[in-house]
Amino acid sequence: MAILNILHYPDPRLRRVAQPVAQVDAAVRRLVVDMAETMYAAPGIGLAAIQVDVALRVVVMDLSEERNALKVFINPEILARDGVQVMEEGCLSVPGVYDEVERARHIRVRALDADGRPFELEAEGLLATCVQHEIDHLDGKVFVDYLSRLKQNRLRKKLEKQERLAM
Ligand code: GNR
Ligand code: NI
Protein backbone atom coordinates (compact mmCIF):
# COMPACT_ATOMS: atom_id res chain seq x y z
CA MET A 1 0.00 0.00 0.00
CA ALA A 2 1.12 3.55 -0.65
CA ILE A 3 -0.18 7.07 -0.30
CA LEU A 4 0.18 8.77 -3.68
CA ASN A 5 0.91 12.45 -4.38
CA ILE A 6 -2.19 14.42 -5.46
CA LEU A 7 -1.71 16.95 -8.30
CA HIS A 8 -3.01 20.47 -7.67
CA TYR A 9 -4.84 22.80 -10.08
CA PRO A 10 -3.64 24.41 -12.35
CA ASP A 11 -1.19 21.54 -13.03
CA PRO A 12 -1.46 20.82 -16.80
CA ARG A 13 -1.33 17.07 -16.11
CA LEU A 14 -4.89 17.38 -14.76
CA ARG A 15 -5.94 18.34 -18.34
CA ARG A 16 -5.00 15.01 -19.94
CA VAL A 17 -7.77 12.69 -21.17
CA ALA A 18 -7.37 9.33 -19.40
CA GLN A 19 -7.18 6.13 -21.46
CA PRO A 20 -9.54 3.17 -20.94
CA VAL A 21 -8.19 0.23 -18.95
CA ALA A 22 -7.64 -2.68 -21.38
CA GLN A 23 -7.52 -5.37 -18.71
CA VAL A 24 -8.11 -5.30 -14.96
CA ASP A 25 -4.83 -6.97 -14.03
CA ALA A 26 -2.66 -7.01 -10.89
CA ALA A 27 -1.19 -3.57 -11.70
CA VAL A 28 -4.66 -2.00 -11.96
CA ARG A 29 -5.79 -3.69 -8.72
CA ARG A 30 -2.66 -2.34 -7.02
CA LEU A 31 -3.48 1.15 -8.34
CA VAL A 32 -7.02 0.81 -6.93
CA VAL A 33 -5.67 -0.14 -3.47
CA ASP A 34 -3.21 2.77 -3.46
CA MET A 35 -5.87 5.23 -4.68
CA ALA A 36 -8.26 4.07 -1.94
CA GLU A 37 -5.58 4.54 0.72
CA THR A 38 -4.79 8.01 -0.70
CA MET A 39 -8.50 9.00 -0.74
CA TYR A 40 -9.08 7.83 2.85
CA ALA A 41 -5.94 9.59 4.08
CA ALA A 42 -6.74 12.90 2.34
CA PRO A 43 -9.63 12.58 3.43
CA GLY A 44 -11.93 12.71 0.39
CA ILE A 45 -15.08 10.98 -0.86
CA GLY A 46 -13.71 10.25 -4.33
CA LEU A 47 -10.50 10.16 -6.34
CA ALA A 48 -9.75 9.81 -10.07
CA ALA A 49 -6.47 8.24 -11.24
CA ILE A 50 -5.51 11.39 -13.17
CA GLN A 51 -5.30 13.22 -9.81
CA VAL A 52 -2.42 10.93 -8.85
CA ASP A 53 -0.80 11.36 -12.29
CA VAL A 54 -2.01 8.07 -13.79
CA ALA A 55 -3.88 8.68 -17.07
CA LEU A 56 -6.18 5.65 -16.82
CA ARG A 57 -9.99 5.60 -16.45
CA VAL A 58 -10.05 4.45 -12.82
CA VAL A 59 -12.11 6.04 -9.99
CA VAL A 60 -12.51 5.15 -6.31
CA MET A 61 -15.29 6.51 -4.09
CA ASP A 62 -16.70 6.10 -0.59
CA LEU A 63 -19.62 8.21 0.56
CA SER A 64 -20.29 6.22 3.76
CA GLU A 65 -19.92 7.79 7.23
CA GLU A 66 -18.00 4.71 8.40
CA ARG A 67 -15.58 4.87 5.44
CA ASN A 68 -16.07 1.16 4.84
CA ALA A 69 -18.02 1.07 1.55
CA LEU A 70 -15.45 1.47 -1.22
CA LYS A 71 -16.84 1.76 -4.74
CA VAL A 72 -14.54 1.21 -7.71
CA PHE A 73 -15.40 2.39 -11.23
CA ILE A 74 -13.16 1.29 -14.08
CA ASN A 75 -13.97 2.70 -17.54
CA PRO A 76 -17.16 4.38 -16.21
CA GLU A 77 -19.78 5.56 -18.70
CA ILE A 78 -22.92 7.57 -18.07
CA LEU A 79 -25.77 5.78 -19.88
CA ALA A 80 -28.55 8.23 -18.98
CA ARG A 81 -29.04 11.51 -17.14
CA ASP A 82 -32.17 13.22 -15.88
CA GLY A 83 -33.04 16.39 -13.99
CA VAL A 84 -30.84 19.11 -12.56
CA GLN A 85 -29.37 19.76 -9.10
CA VAL A 86 -26.96 22.28 -7.64
CA MET A 87 -24.48 21.06 -5.03
CA GLU A 88 -21.54 22.59 -3.22
CA GLU A 89 -18.41 20.83 -4.49
CA GLY A 90 -14.81 20.65 -3.39
CA CYS A 91 -11.84 18.86 -4.94
CA LEU A 92 -8.66 17.37 -3.51
CA SER A 93 -6.86 18.95 -6.49
CA VAL A 94 -8.20 22.43 -5.61
CA PRO A 95 -7.71 22.55 -1.82
CA GLY A 96 -9.70 25.11 0.15
CA VAL A 97 -12.10 25.99 -2.67
CA TYR A 98 -15.80 25.10 -2.44
CA ASP A 99 -18.51 26.31 -4.78
CA GLU A 100 -21.85 25.39 -6.28
CA VAL A 101 -22.01 23.37 -9.51
CA GLU A 102 -25.11 22.42 -11.51
CA ARG A 103 -25.20 18.81 -12.73
CA ALA A 104 -27.70 16.08 -13.63
CA ARG A 105 -29.75 14.94 -10.60
CA HIS A 106 -30.19 11.28 -11.64
CA ILE A 107 -27.74 9.24 -13.67
CA ARG A 108 -27.33 5.64 -14.74
CA VAL A 109 -23.67 4.52 -14.84
CA ARG A 110 -21.98 1.45 -16.26
CA ALA A 111 -18.44 0.47 -15.24
CA LEU A 112 -16.21 -2.47 -14.37
CA ASP A 113 -15.58 -3.29 -10.70
CA ALA A 114 -12.19 -4.09 -9.15
CA ASP A 115 -12.51 -7.69 -10.41
CA GLY A 116 -13.18 -6.53 -13.97
CA ARG A 117 -16.86 -7.45 -13.84
CA PRO A 118 -19.37 -5.05 -15.43
CA PHE A 119 -22.07 -3.48 -13.25
CA GLU A 120 -24.68 -0.76 -13.56
CA LEU A 121 -25.71 1.72 -10.89
CA GLU A 122 -28.51 4.28 -10.53
CA ALA A 123 -27.29 7.34 -8.67
CA GLU A 124 -28.86 10.55 -7.41
CA GLY A 125 -27.96 13.34 -5.00
CA LEU A 126 -24.35 13.47 -3.79
CA LEU A 127 -23.46 10.12 -5.40
CA ALA A 128 -24.64 11.40 -8.80
CA THR A 129 -22.66 14.63 -8.36
CA CYS A 130 -19.55 12.74 -7.26
CA VAL A 131 -19.65 10.29 -10.20
CA GLN A 132 -19.99 13.21 -12.65
CA HIS A 133 -17.15 15.11 -10.88
CA GLU A 134 -14.86 12.06 -11.17
CA ILE A 135 -15.72 11.28 -14.81
CA ASP A 136 -14.96 14.95 -15.58
CA HIS A 137 -11.46 14.41 -14.14
CA LEU A 138 -10.99 11.45 -16.53
CA ASP A 139 -11.84 13.84 -19.38
CA GLY A 140 -9.36 16.51 -18.19
CA LYS A 141 -11.98 18.73 -16.52
CA VAL A 142 -11.95 20.26 -13.03
CA PHE A 143 -15.08 21.60 -11.25
CA VAL A 144 -13.77 25.18 -11.28
CA ASP A 145 -14.18 25.12 -15.10
CA TYR A 146 -17.93 25.56 -14.42
CA LEU A 147 -17.45 28.72 -12.31
CA SER A 148 -17.72 32.24 -13.76
CA ARG A 149 -14.71 33.75 -15.52
CA LEU A 150 -14.50 36.26 -12.64
CA LYS A 151 -14.28 33.48 -10.03
CA GLN A 152 -11.72 31.54 -12.11
CA ASN A 153 -9.53 34.66 -12.41
CA ARG A 154 -9.77 35.33 -8.65
CA LEU A 155 -8.87 31.71 -7.96
CA ARG A 156 -5.86 31.83 -10.30
CA LYS A 157 -4.59 35.01 -8.56
CA LYS A 158 -5.08 33.44 -5.12
CA LEU A 159 -3.16 30.31 -6.16
CA GLU A 160 -0.35 32.37 -7.75
CA LYS A 161 -0.06 34.34 -4.50
CA GLN A 162 0.03 31.11 -2.44
CA GLU A 163 2.78 29.80 -4.71
CA ARG A 164 4.83 33.03 -4.28
CA LEU A 165 4.46 32.84 -0.49
CA ALA A 166 5.56 29.18 -0.53
CA MET A 167 8.82 30.00 -2.34
O1 GNR B 1 -13.72 14.82 -1.45
C1 GNR B 1 -14.42 15.32 -2.33
N1 GNR B 1 -15.61 15.87 -1.99
C2 GNR B 1 -16.57 16.28 -2.91
C3 GNR B 1 -17.62 17.05 -2.44
C4 GNR B 1 -18.61 17.46 -3.31
C5 GNR B 1 -18.55 17.11 -4.63
C6 GNR B 1 -17.49 16.36 -5.12
C7 GNR B 1 -16.52 15.93 -4.27
S1 GNR B 1 -15.22 14.95 -4.86
C8 GNR B 1 -13.95 15.35 -3.72
C9 GNR B 1 -12.74 14.47 -3.97
C10 GNR B 1 -12.18 14.76 -5.33
O2 GNR B 1 -11.54 15.74 -5.61
N2 GNR B 1 -12.45 13.90 -6.26
O3 GNR B 1 -12.03 14.12 -7.52
NI1 NI C 1 -11.90 16.29 -7.71
Side-chain angles (χ1 to χ4, degrees):
M1 304 243 291
I3 292 181
L4 308 171
N5 181 50
I6 297 177
L7 301 178
H8 285 170
Y9 175 91
D11 192 311
R13 290 172 289 181
L14 288 169
R15 296 306 185 184
R16 291 177 300 165
V17 176
Q19 293 302 303
V21 169
Q23 202 185 341
V24 181
D25 58 14
V28 171
R29 282 192 293 272
R30 163 94 197 250
L31 172 66
V32 165
V33 168
D34 288 346
M35 284 175 60
E37 193 183 9
T38 304
M39 172 185 74
Y40 287 126
I45 58 173
L47 188 70
I50 202 79
Q51 293 179 274
V52 294
D53 202 19
V54 176
L56 286 174
R57 303 189 79 82
V58 176
V59 166
V60 296
M61 211 177 285
D62 191 341
L63 273 64
S64 70
E65 293 268 314
E66 301 80 13
R67 315 289 283 153
N68 61 359
L70 182 69
K71 286 188 169 72
V72 177
F73 300 83
I74 297 170
N75 301 343
E77 276 179 83
I78 295 181
L79 304 175
R81 24 183 126 226
D82 189 40
V84 170
Q85 66 183 356
V86 174
M87 288 208 135
E88 171 127 309
E89 299 194 17
C91 182
L92 294 172
S93 294
V94 198
V97 176
Y98 303 88
D99 216 325
E100 292 184 334
V101 178
E102 186 180 297
R103 298 190 188 268
R105 166 150 184 73
H106 293 266
I107 57 170
R108 185 160 188 85
V109 194
R110 178 169 55 207
L112 303 178
D113 66 18
D115 299 313
R117 282 191 272 266
F119 69 95
E120 286 188 19
L121 176 77
E122 296 270 0
E124 61 173 16
L126 182 59
L127 179 59
T129 280
C130 199
V131 168
Q132 291 169 85
H133 175 118
E134 303 308 343
I135 292 178
D136 269 358
H137 276 303
L138 302 180
D139 292 326
K141 290 183 218 142
V142 181
F143 86 95
V144 297
D145 301 345
Y146 296 108
L147 305 182
S148 69
R149 181 66 60 86
L150 179 66
K151 281 184 177 175
Q152 290 185 47
N153 286 341
R154 276 195 200 134
L155 181 58
R156 188 169 40 73
K157 282 189 188 120
K158 180 178 144 183
L159 293 170
E160 281 168 2
K161 185 174 174 189
Q162 271 176 12
E163 214 154 291
R164 276 202 305 278
L165 291 172
M167 288 204 316

